[in-house]
Amino acid sequence: MMTGKATREGTQRLAQANPHLFYKQFGSFDVWISQVGFGTYRIDEQDEQYQQALRKALLEGINLIDTSSMYTNGSAEKVIGHVLKQLISEEK
């Protein structure tokens, strides 16, 4: 299980490191999100390309992921969890 959450300081550091993406404050939450996001509507956990694409997006500063447990019966959320777990274990 992953713990933690996005913080204002952490998301501001991400925004400063990636000014080409443009970030804005997310509603009344005290975090900054990239104006470019990663959509997961048709992601299939069996296809390695989706994991690679999400990994690349996150490493390049995208911190907005559009998902739902209804997308491919939860497969999209499994891919997101797997990629995030990998990046955390690599301390990225």
Side-chain angles (χ1 to χ4, degrees):
M1 172 177 238
M2 288 181 276
T3 60
K5 63 180 182 178
T7 64
R8 177 172 42 114
E9 295 80 14
T11 56
Q12 283 179 335
R13 277 194 310 273
L14 184 67
Q16 290 170 350
N18 298 283
H20 60 283
L21 285 179
F22 304 104
Y23 292 75
K24 64 180 183 175
Q25 192 167 10
F26 183 60
S28 63
F29 297 96
D30 201 16
V31 296
W32 293 84
I33 60 167
S34 55
Q35 290 187 27
V36 174
F38 189 91
T40 63
Y41 176 62
R42 302 284 250 180
I43 281 186
D44 178 358
E45 66 187 301
Q46 303 302 319
D47 192 335
E48 181 70 25
Q49 290 181 337
Y50 292 118
Q51 292 180 34
Q52 292 171 2
L54 177 57
R55 179 183 175 89
K56 181 173 176 54
L58 292 169
L59 288 173
E60 293 194 7
I62 291 175
N63 68 345
L64 174 64
I65 303 171
D66 171 35
T67 191
S68 168
S69 60
M70 300 300 290
Y71 293 174
T72 56
N73 294 323
S75 185
E77 290 184 331
K78 289 178 185 175
V79 169
I80 294 165
H82 177 75
V83 170
L84 289 174
K85 189 175 181 179
Q86 277 183 330
L87 291 172
I88 290 168
S89 72
E90 296 168 10
E91 297 182 0
K92 296 188 178 190

